[in-house]
Amino acid sequence: MVKKAIIPAAGYGTRGLPITKVLPKEMFPVGLKPAIHYVVEEAIESGIEQILMIVSKKKNMIVDYFDESLELETFLERENKHHLIDILPVPSIPIHYIRQPYAKGLGDAIRLGKYFIGDEPFAVLLPDDILLSNKEPALKQLVNQYNKFKKSIIGIKEVEESKLKHYGVISGEAKGEELFKLDDIVEKPSKNAPSNYAVIGRYVFSPAILSLLDKQQPSVGEELQLTDAIKDLLSQEECFGKVVEGKRFDIGIYEEYLNLVNTIQQAKNKKK
Ligand code: G1P
Protein backbone atom coordinates (compact mmCIF):
# COMPACT_ATOMS: atom_id res chain seq x y z
CA MET A 1 0.00 0.00 0.00
CA VAL A 2 1.21 3.49 -0.83
CA LYS A 3 0.32 5.53 2.25
CA LYS A 4 2.89 8.32 2.34
CA ALA A 5 3.56 11.16 -0.07
CA ILE A 6 6.18 13.87 -0.37
CA ILE A 7 5.23 17.22 -1.90
CA PRO A 8 8.35 19.33 -2.56
CA ALA A 9 7.37 23.00 -2.43
CA ALA A 10 10.66 24.69 -1.60
CA GLY A 11 11.70 26.24 -4.94
CA TYR A 12 12.10 29.96 -5.57
CA GLY A 13 9.56 29.94 -8.40
CA THR A 14 11.81 32.06 -10.58
CA ARG A 15 9.55 31.58 -13.61
CA GLY A 16 6.86 33.48 -11.69
CA LEU A 17 8.89 36.54 -10.66
CA PRO A 18 8.22 39.23 -9.58
CA ILE A 19 5.01 38.01 -7.85
CA THR A 20 6.76 34.92 -6.43
CA LYS A 21 9.08 37.19 -4.49
CA VAL A 22 6.30 37.33 -1.88
CA LEU A 23 3.61 34.89 -3.07
CA PRO A 24 4.68 31.24 -3.42
CA LYS A 25 3.52 29.87 -6.78
CA GLU A 26 1.88 27.01 -4.88
CA MET A 27 -0.48 29.67 -3.45
CA PHE A 28 -1.56 31.06 -6.84
CA PRO A 29 -5.37 31.18 -6.77
CA VAL A 30 -7.29 28.71 -8.87
CA GLY A 31 -10.88 29.63 -8.16
CA LEU A 32 -10.93 30.47 -4.45
CA LYS A 33 -8.41 27.76 -3.57
CA PRO A 34 -4.64 27.90 -4.00
CA ALA A 35 -3.08 25.51 -6.50
CA ILE A 36 -1.52 23.34 -3.79
CA HIS A 37 -4.96 22.59 -2.32
CA TYR A 38 -5.76 20.64 -5.51
CA VAL A 39 -2.56 18.63 -5.15
CA VAL A 40 -3.31 17.76 -1.50
CA GLU A 41 -6.85 16.72 -2.50
CA GLU A 42 -5.45 14.54 -5.28
CA ALA A 43 -3.14 12.81 -2.78
CA ILE A 44 -5.99 12.18 -0.31
CA GLU A 45 -8.30 10.91 -3.08
CA SER A 46 -5.51 8.54 -4.14
CA GLY A 47 -5.43 6.89 -0.70
CA ILE A 48 -2.47 8.78 0.81
CA GLU A 49 -2.66 8.89 4.62
CA GLN A 50 0.25 11.21 5.50
CA ILE A 51 1.97 13.97 3.60
CA LEU A 52 5.40 15.48 4.08
CA MET A 53 5.78 18.89 2.51
CA ILE A 54 9.27 20.21 1.87
CA VAL A 55 9.13 23.97 2.27
CA SER A 56 11.60 26.84 2.51
CA LYS A 57 11.85 30.13 4.39
CA LYS A 58 9.39 32.00 2.15
CA LYS A 59 6.69 29.33 2.22
CA ASN A 60 5.12 29.86 5.66
CA MET A 61 1.91 30.88 3.91
CA ILE A 62 1.42 27.26 2.83
CA VAL A 63 1.84 26.01 6.42
CA ASP A 64 -0.63 28.64 7.68
CA TYR A 65 -3.13 27.81 4.95
CA PHE A 66 -3.46 24.17 6.02
CA ASP A 67 -3.46 24.98 9.75
CA GLU A 68 -6.46 25.63 11.96
CA SER A 69 -7.35 29.24 12.59
CA LEU A 70 -9.12 29.38 15.95
CA GLU A 71 -9.52 33.12 15.73
CA LEU A 72 -11.29 32.96 12.37
CA GLU A 73 -13.42 29.98 13.42
CA THR A 74 -14.52 31.76 16.62
CA PHE A 75 -15.42 34.82 14.60
CA LEU A 76 -17.44 32.82 12.06
CA GLU A 77 -19.25 30.98 14.87
CA ARG A 78 -20.13 34.24 16.58
CA GLU A 79 -21.49 35.57 13.28
CA ASN A 80 -23.51 32.35 12.72
CA LYS A 81 -21.57 31.57 9.53
CA HIS A 82 -21.06 27.90 10.23
CA HIS A 83 -21.20 26.97 6.54
CA LEU A 84 -17.98 28.95 6.04
CA ILE A 85 -16.16 27.02 8.78
CA ASP A 86 -16.86 23.86 6.78
CA ILE A 87 -14.96 25.11 3.73
CA LEU A 88 -11.82 26.03 5.68
CA PRO A 89 -8.92 23.92 4.49
CA VAL A 90 -7.95 21.67 7.36
CA PRO A 91 -7.07 18.41 5.65
CA SER A 92 -8.36 15.09 6.94
CA ILE A 93 -4.83 13.64 7.10
CA PRO A 94 -1.66 14.86 8.84
CA ILE A 95 0.64 17.16 6.89
CA HIS A 96 4.20 17.34 8.21
CA TYR A 97 6.76 19.92 7.16
CA ILE A 98 10.54 20.04 6.72
CA ARG A 99 12.43 23.13 5.69
CA GLN A 100 15.02 22.78 2.96
CA PRO A 101 17.69 25.28 4.07
CA TYR A 102 19.42 25.61 0.67
CA ALA A 103 17.92 25.45 -2.82
CA LYS A 104 19.89 22.40 -3.94
CA GLY A 105 17.31 20.88 -6.24
CA LEU A 106 14.44 18.42 -6.38
CA GLY A 107 16.65 15.42 -5.60
CA ASP A 108 17.87 17.08 -2.40
CA ALA A 109 14.31 18.00 -1.37
CA ILE A 110 13.05 14.42 -1.72
CA ARG A 111 16.13 13.13 0.13
CA LEU A 112 15.05 15.15 3.17
CA GLY A 113 12.03 12.83 3.43
CA LYS A 114 14.17 9.77 4.14
CA TYR A 115 13.27 9.37 7.81
CA PHE A 116 9.59 10.13 7.20
CA ILE A 117 9.38 7.41 4.54
CA GLY A 118 11.47 4.70 6.22
CA ASP A 119 11.20 1.45 4.30
CA GLU A 120 7.90 1.88 2.47
CA PRO A 121 6.88 2.69 -1.08
CA PHE A 122 5.88 6.32 -1.39
CA ALA A 123 4.44 8.88 -3.77
CA VAL A 124 5.87 12.20 -4.93
CA LEU A 125 3.61 14.96 -6.27
CA LEU A 126 5.23 18.05 -7.78
CA PRO A 127 2.86 20.93 -7.08
CA ASP A 128 3.79 22.79 -10.30
CA ASP A 129 1.79 20.19 -12.16
CA ILE A 130 -1.96 20.22 -11.72
CA LEU A 131 -3.73 17.27 -13.29
CA LEU A 132 -7.46 17.23 -13.92
CA SER A 133 -8.88 13.84 -14.77
CA ASN A 134 -12.47 12.92 -15.56
CA LYS A 135 -11.89 9.39 -14.37
CA GLU A 136 -9.44 8.78 -11.53
CA PRO A 137 -7.00 11.20 -9.89
CA ALA A 138 -3.63 11.10 -11.64
CA LEU A 139 -1.75 9.71 -8.64
CA LYS A 140 -4.43 7.01 -8.11
CA GLN A 141 -3.76 5.81 -11.66
CA LEU A 142 -0.11 5.24 -10.69
CA VAL A 143 -0.96 3.69 -7.32
CA ASN A 144 -3.22 1.16 -9.11
CA GLN A 145 -0.29 0.13 -11.30
CA TYR A 146 2.05 -0.04 -8.30
CA ASN A 147 -0.38 -2.37 -6.57
CA LYS A 148 -0.25 -4.68 -9.61
CA PHE A 149 3.53 -4.75 -10.20
CA LYS A 150 5.09 -3.57 -6.93
CA LYS A 151 7.63 -1.57 -8.96
CA SER A 152 8.41 2.13 -9.12
CA ILE A 153 6.17 3.88 -11.59
CA ILE A 154 6.48 7.32 -13.12
CA GLY A 155 3.69 9.42 -14.62
CA ILE A 156 4.40 10.45 -18.22
CA LYS A 157 2.69 12.29 -21.06
CA GLU A 158 3.50 12.76 -24.71
CA VAL A 159 4.56 16.37 -25.37
CA GLU A 160 5.61 18.34 -28.44
CA GLU A 161 9.22 17.85 -29.44
CA SER A 162 10.08 21.53 -28.78
CA LYS A 163 8.98 21.22 -25.12
CA LEU A 164 10.95 18.10 -24.24
CA LYS A 165 13.96 20.18 -23.14
CA HIS A 166 11.96 21.38 -20.11
CA TYR A 167 11.31 17.91 -18.67
CA GLY A 168 12.67 14.55 -17.70
CA VAL A 169 12.24 12.32 -20.76
CA ILE A 170 12.00 8.53 -20.69
CA SER A 171 12.68 5.72 -23.09
CA GLY A 172 11.32 2.22 -22.71
CA GLU A 173 9.59 -0.80 -24.12
CA ALA A 174 5.82 -0.53 -24.65
CA LYS A 175 3.94 -3.05 -22.53
CA GLY A 176 0.36 -2.21 -23.54
CA GLU A 177 -2.21 -0.26 -21.49
CA GLU A 178 -0.15 2.91 -21.97
CA LEU A 179 2.63 1.34 -19.92
CA PHE A 180 6.38 1.31 -20.64
CA LYS A 181 9.15 -0.69 -19.02
CA LEU A 182 11.80 2.01 -18.66
CA ASP A 183 15.33 1.60 -19.95
CA ASP A 184 16.50 5.21 -19.69
CA ILE A 185 15.59 8.65 -18.42
CA VAL A 186 17.29 11.97 -19.21
CA GLU A 187 16.77 15.29 -17.44
CA LYS A 188 15.98 18.22 -19.75
CA PRO A 189 17.68 16.91 -22.92
CA SER A 190 18.88 19.84 -25.05
CA LYS A 191 18.86 17.54 -28.12
CA ASN A 192 18.36 13.86 -29.04
CA ALA A 193 15.58 13.27 -26.50
CA PRO A 194 15.09 9.51 -26.17
CA SER A 195 11.31 9.71 -26.85
CA ASN A 196 8.39 12.17 -26.78
CA TYR A 197 7.27 11.05 -23.34
CA ALA A 198 7.94 13.61 -20.60
CA VAL A 199 7.80 13.07 -16.83
CA ILE A 200 4.84 14.99 -15.44
CA GLY A 201 5.47 15.34 -11.73
CA ARG A 202 3.70 12.27 -10.32
CA TYR A 203 5.73 9.28 -9.12
CA VAL A 204 5.42 6.17 -6.95
CA PHE A 205 8.81 4.93 -5.76
CA SER A 206 10.17 1.91 -4.02
CA PRO A 207 12.20 3.06 -0.97
CA ALA A 208 15.45 2.07 -2.76
CA ILE A 209 15.42 5.49 -4.47
CA LEU A 210 16.26 7.21 -1.16
CA SER A 211 19.72 5.70 -0.70
CA LEU A 212 20.42 6.42 -4.38
CA LEU A 213 19.52 10.07 -3.84
CA ASP A 214 22.17 10.24 -1.13
CA LYS A 215 24.82 9.30 -3.71
CA GLN A 216 23.96 11.92 -6.33
CA GLN A 217 26.25 14.75 -7.40
CA PRO A 218 24.88 18.03 -8.76
CA SER A 219 24.19 17.83 -12.50
CA VAL A 220 21.69 19.75 -14.70
CA GLY A 221 21.41 23.33 -13.37
CA GLU A 222 24.05 22.48 -10.72
CA GLU A 223 21.26 20.80 -8.73
CA LEU A 224 20.78 17.33 -7.27
CA GLN A 225 18.38 15.74 -9.73
CA LEU A 226 15.72 13.17 -8.91
CA THR A 227 16.05 12.00 -12.52
CA ASP A 228 19.69 10.93 -11.94
CA ALA A 229 18.63 8.77 -8.99
CA ILE A 230 15.87 7.20 -11.14
CA LYS A 231 18.51 6.41 -13.76
CA ASP A 232 20.55 4.60 -11.10
CA LEU A 233 17.44 2.81 -9.85
CA LEU A 234 16.91 1.44 -13.37
CA SER A 235 20.15 -0.51 -13.09
CA GLN A 236 18.91 -2.17 -9.87
CA GLU A 237 15.17 -2.64 -10.31
CA GLU A 238 12.51 -2.62 -13.00
CA CYS A 239 10.69 0.72 -13.25
CA PHE A 240 7.68 1.60 -15.32
CA GLY A 241 6.28 4.71 -16.97
CA LYS A 242 2.51 5.11 -17.21
CA VAL A 243 0.78 7.56 -19.51
CA VAL A 244 -1.52 9.43 -17.16
CA GLU A 245 -5.07 10.16 -18.31
CA GLY A 246 -6.22 13.74 -17.76
CA LYS A 247 -5.34 17.33 -18.62
CA ARG A 248 -2.07 18.64 -17.28
CA PHE A 249 -1.28 22.26 -16.46
CA ASP A 250 2.22 23.44 -15.54
CA ILE A 251 1.44 26.48 -13.38
CA GLY A 252 5.06 27.64 -13.72
CA ILE A 253 4.08 28.62 -17.29
CA TYR A 254 1.77 31.63 -17.05
CA GLU A 255 -0.40 30.69 -20.08
CA GLU A 256 -0.98 27.21 -18.64
CA TYR A 257 -1.87 28.70 -15.25
CA LEU A 258 -4.47 30.97 -16.91
CA ASN A 259 -5.79 28.01 -18.86
CA LEU A 260 -6.20 26.07 -15.60
CA VAL A 261 -8.06 28.96 -13.96
CA ASN A 262 -10.42 29.16 -16.97
CA THR A 263 -10.96 25.41 -17.08
CA ILE A 264 -11.92 25.31 -13.38
CA GLN A 265 -14.24 28.30 -13.82
CA GLN A 266 -15.95 26.75 -16.85
CA ALA A 267 -16.51 23.50 -14.92
CA LYS A 268 -18.09 25.54 -12.07
CA ASN A 269 -20.34 27.44 -14.50
CA LYS A 270 -21.54 24.16 -16.00
CA LYS A 271 -22.54 22.87 -12.56
CA LYS A 272 -24.65 25.97 -11.81
C1 G1P B 1 10.99 18.50 -12.57
C2 G1P B 1 11.72 17.21 -12.90
C3 G1P B 1 11.48 16.84 -14.37
C4 G1P B 1 9.98 16.74 -14.63
C5 G1P B 1 9.29 18.05 -14.22
C6 G1P B 1 7.78 17.91 -14.32
O1 G1P B 1 11.59 19.56 -13.27
O2 G1P B 1 13.11 17.38 -12.65
O3 G1P B 1 12.10 15.61 -14.64
O4 G1P B 1 9.74 16.45 -15.99
O5 G1P B 1 9.61 18.42 -12.88
O6 G1P B 1 7.15 19.12 -14.07
P1 G1P B 1 11.37 21.12 -12.84
O7 G1P B 1 10.05 21.51 -13.46
O8 G1P B 1 11.33 21.15 -11.35
O9 G1P B 1 12.51 21.85 -13.42
Side-chain angles (χ1 to χ4, degrees), residues 165-179:
K165 58 176 182 285
H166 301 301
Y167 301 109
V169 181
I170 63 112
S171 75
E173 187 189 335
K175 289 281 177 190
E177 280 188 74
E178 310 260 46
L179 197 68

PDB file of all heavy atoms in Angstrom, residues 165-179:
ATOM      1  N   LYS A 165      12.768  19.678 -23.855  1.00  0.00           N
ATOM      2  CA  LYS A 165      13.959  20.179 -23.144  1.00  0.00           C
ATOM      3  C   LYS A 165      13.627  20.724 -21.748  1.00  0.00           C
ATOM      4  O   LYS A 165      14.516  20.996 -20.955  1.00  0.00           O
ATOM      5  CB  LYS A 165      14.675  21.241 -23.973  1.00  0.00           C
ATOM      6  CG  LYS A 165      13.839  22.447 -24.338  1.00  0.00           C
ATOM      7  CD  LYS A 165      14.716  23.459 -25.074  1.00  0.00           C
ATOM      8  CE  LYS A 165      13.983  24.719 -25.446  1.00  0.00           C
ATOM      9  NZ  LYS A 165      13.070  24.590 -26.576  1.00  0.00           N
ATOM     10  N   HIS A 166      12.344  20.871 -21.435  1.00  0.00           N
ATOM     11  CA  HIS A 166      11.962  21.382 -20.107  1.00  0.00           C
ATOM     12  C   HIS A 166      11.724  20.265 -19.093  1.00  0.00           C
ATOM     13  O   HIS A 166      11.444  20.539 -17.927  1.00  0.00           O
ATOM     14  CB  HIS A 166      10.674  22.203 -20.210  1.00  0.00           C
ATOM     15  CG  HIS A 166      10.791  23.361 -21.130  1.00  0.00           C
ATOM     16  ND1 HIS A 166      11.719  24.357 -20.934  1.00  0.00           N
ATOM     17  CD2 HIS A 166      10.117  23.678 -22.264  1.00  0.00           C
ATOM     18  CE1 HIS A 166      11.608  25.240 -21.904  1.00  0.00           C
ATOM     19  NE2 HIS A 166      10.649  24.846 -22.724  1.00  0.00           N
ATOM     20  N   TYR A 167      11.766  19.011 -19.538  1.00  0.00           N
ATOM     21  CA  TYR A 167      11.306  17.914 -18.674  1.00  0.00           C
ATOM     22  C   TYR A 167      12.295  16.768 -18.593  1.00  0.00           C
ATOM     23  O   TYR A 167      13.242  16.690 -19.377  1.00  0.00           O
ATOM     24  CB  TYR A 167       9.964  17.379 -19.223  1.00  0.00           C
ATOM     25  CG  TYR A 167       8.901  18.432 -19.269  1.00  0.00           C
ATOM     26  CD1 TYR A 167       8.464  18.956 -20.483  1.00  0.00           C
ATOM     27  CD2 TYR A 167       8.368  18.954 -18.090  1.00  0.00           C
ATOM     28  CE1 TYR A 167       7.500  19.957 -20.521  1.00  0.00           C
ATOM     29  CE2 TYR A 167       7.404  19.950 -18.121  1.00  0.00           C
ATOM     30  CZ  TYR A 167       6.984  20.445 -19.332  1.00  0.00           C
ATOM     31  OH  TYR A 167       6.044  21.433 -19.364  1.00  0.00           O
ATOM     32  N   GLY A 168      12.017  15.853 -17.668  1.00  0.00           N
ATOM     33  CA  GLY A 168      12.672  14.555 -17.702  1.00  0.00           C
ATOM     34  C   GLY A 168      12.006  13.784 -18.832  1.00  0.00           C
ATOM     35  O   GLY A 168      10.790  13.861 -19.007  1.00  0.00           O
ATOM     36  N   VAL A 169      12.808  13.058 -19.629  1.00  0.00           N
ATOM     37  CA  VAL A 169      12.239  12.322 -20.764  1.00  0.00           C
ATOM     38  C   VAL A 169      12.665  10.858 -20.659  1.00  0.00           C
ATOM     39  O   VAL A 169      13.834  10.567 -20.375  1.00  0.00           O
ATOM     40  CB  VAL A 169      12.718  12.936 -22.111  1.00  0.00           C
ATOM     41  CG1 VAL A 169      12.119  12.188 -23.294  1.00  0.00           C
ATOM     42  CG2 VAL A 169      12.336  14.415 -22.182  1.00  0.00           C
ATOM     43  N   ILE A 170      11.705   9.952 -20.875  1.00  0.00           N
ATOM     44  CA  ILE A 170      11.999   8.526 -20.688  1.00  0.00           C
ATOM     45  C   ILE A 170      12.223   7.827 -22.028  1.00  0.00           C
ATOM     46  O   ILE A 170      11.821   8.322 -23.079  1.00  0.00           O
ATOM     47  CB  ILE A 170      10.834   7.797 -19.960  1.00  0.00           C
ATOM     48  CG1 ILE A 170       9.522   7.845 -20.802  1.00  0.00           C
ATOM     49  CG2 ILE A 170      10.574   8.410 -18.600  1.00  0.00           C
ATOM     50  CD1 ILE A 170       9.071   6.556 -21.351  1.00  0.00           C
ATOM     51  N   SER A 171      12.822   6.641 -21.962  1.00  0.00           N
ATOM     52  CA  SER A 171      12.682   5.719 -23.093  1.00  0.00           C
ATOM     53  C   SER A 171      12.401   4.354 -22.498  1.00  0.00           C
ATOM     54  O   SER A 171      12.784   4.064 -21.356  1.00  0.00           O
ATOM     55  CB  SER A 171      13.934   5.699 -23.967  1.00  0.00           C
ATOM     56  OG  SER A 171      14.943   4.984 -23.347  1.00  0.00           O
ATOM     57  N   GLY A 172      11.672   3.535 -23.250  1.00  0.00           N
ATOM     58  CA  GLY A 172      11.320   2.223 -22.705  1.00  0.00           C
ATOM     59  C   GLY A 172      10.571   1.388 -23.709  1.00  0.00           C
ATOM     60  O   GLY A 172      10.287   1.814 -24.827  1.00  0.00           O
ATOM     61  N   GLU A 173      10.247   0.178 -23.249  1.00  0.00           N
ATOM     62  CA  GLU A 173       9.590  -0.796 -24.121  1.00  0.00           C
ATOM     63  C   GLU A 173       8.090  -0.769 -23.817  1.00  0.00           C
ATOM     64  O   GLU A 173       7.706  -0.898 -22.640  1.00  0.00           O
ATOM     65  CB  GLU A 173      10.177  -2.173 -23.759  1.00  0.00           C
ATOM     66  CG  GLU A 173       9.776  -3.302 -24.640  1.00  0.00           C
ATOM     67  CD  GLU A 173      10.261  -4.623 -24.008  1.00  0.00           C
ATOM     68  OE1 GLU A 173      11.248  -4.588 -23.219  1.00  0.00           O
ATOM     69  OE2 GLU A 173       9.635  -5.655 -24.275  1.00  0.00           O
ATOM     70  N   ALA A 174       7.271  -0.593 -24.857  1.00  0.00           N
ATOM     71  CA  ALA A 174       5.817  -0.529 -24.652  1.00  0.00           C
ATOM     72  C   ALA A 174       5.300  -1.875 -24.161  1.00  0.00           C
ATOM     73  O   ALA A 174       5.675  -2.925 -24.678  1.00  0.00           O
ATOM     74  CB  ALA A 174       5.146  -0.149 -25.960  1.00  0.00           C
ATOM     75  N   LYS A 175       4.473  -1.812 -23.116  1.00  0.00           N
ATOM     76  CA  LYS A 175       3.944  -3.049 -22.535  1.00  0.00           C
ATOM     77  C   LYS A 175       2.415  -3.097 -22.603  1.00  0.00           C
ATOM     78  O   LYS A 175       1.768  -3.803 -21.854  1.00  0.00           O
ATOM     79  CB  LYS A 175       4.359  -3.140 -21.048  1.00  0.00           C
ATOM     80  CG  LYS A 175       5.823  -3.409 -20.830  1.00  0.00           C
ATOM     81  CD  LYS A 175       6.099  -4.876 -21.035  1.00  0.00           C
ATOM     82  CE  LYS A 175       7.572  -5.184 -20.911  1.00  0.00           C
ATOM     83  NZ  LYS A 175       7.892  -6.534 -21.338  1.00  0.00           N
ATOM     84  N   GLY A 176       1.827  -2.258 -23.463  1.00  0.00           N
ATOM     85  CA  GLY A 176       0.359  -2.210 -23.540  1.00  0.00           C
ATOM     86  C   GLY A 176      -0.193  -1.344 -22.426  1.00  0.00           C
ATOM     87  O   GLY A 176       0.548  -0.910 -21.541  1.00  0.00           O
ATOM     88  N   GLU A 177      -1.507  -1.077 -22.497  1.00  0.00           N
ATOM     89  CA  GLU A 177      -2.206  -0.256 -21.487  1.00  0.00           C
ATOM     90  C   GLU A 177      -1.456   1.015 -21.152  1.00  0.00           C
ATOM     91  O   GLU A 177      -1.364   1.421 -19.993  1.00  0.00           O
ATOM     92  CB  GLU A 177      -2.395  -1.043 -20.189  1.00  0.00           C
ATOM     93  CG  GLU A 177      -3.552  -2.000 -20.200  1.00  0.00           C
ATOM     94  CD  GLU A 177      -3.767  -2.582 -18.820  1.00  0.00           C
ATOM     95  OE1 GLU A 177      -4.281  -1.851 -17.961  1.00  0.00           O
ATOM     96  OE2 GLU A 177      -3.387  -3.742 -18.599  1.00  0.00           O
ATOM     97  N   GLU A 178      -0.855   1.637 -22.176  1.00  0.00           N
ATOM     98  CA  GLU A 178      -0.147   2.909 -21.969  1.00  0.00           C
ATOM     99  C   GLU A 178       0.968   2.784 -20.926  1.00  0.00           C
ATOM    100  O   GLU A 178       1.210   3.693 -20.137  1.00  0.00           O
ATOM    101  CB  GLU A 178      -1.119   4.006 -21.516  1.00  0.00           C
ATOM    102  CG  GLU A 178      -2.361   4.127 -22.367  1.00  0.00           C
ATOM    103  CD  GLU A 178      -2.267   5.254 -23.366  1.00  0.00           C
ATOM    104  OE1 GLU A 178      -1.218   5.379 -24.028  1.00  0.00           O
ATOM    105  OE2 GLU A 178      -3.240   6.001 -23.475  1.00  0.00           O
ATOM    106  N   LEU A 179       1.583   1.614 -20.901  1.00  0.00           N
ATOM    107  CA  LEU A 179       2.628   1.342 -19.918  1.00  0.00           C
ATOM    108  C   LEU A 179       3.949   1.071 -20.635  1.00  0.00           C
ATOM    109  O   LEU A 179       3.969   0.432 -21.685  1.00  0.00           O
ATOM    110  CB  LEU A 179       2.196   0.099 -19.132  1.00  0.00           C
ATOM    111  CG  LEU A 179       2.887  -0.177 -17.817  1.00  0.00           C
ATOM    112  CD1 LEU A 179       2.517   0.895 -16.800  1.00  0.00           C
ATOM    113  CD2 LEU A 179       2.479  -1.551 -17.291  1.00  0.00           C
TER     114      LEU A 179
END
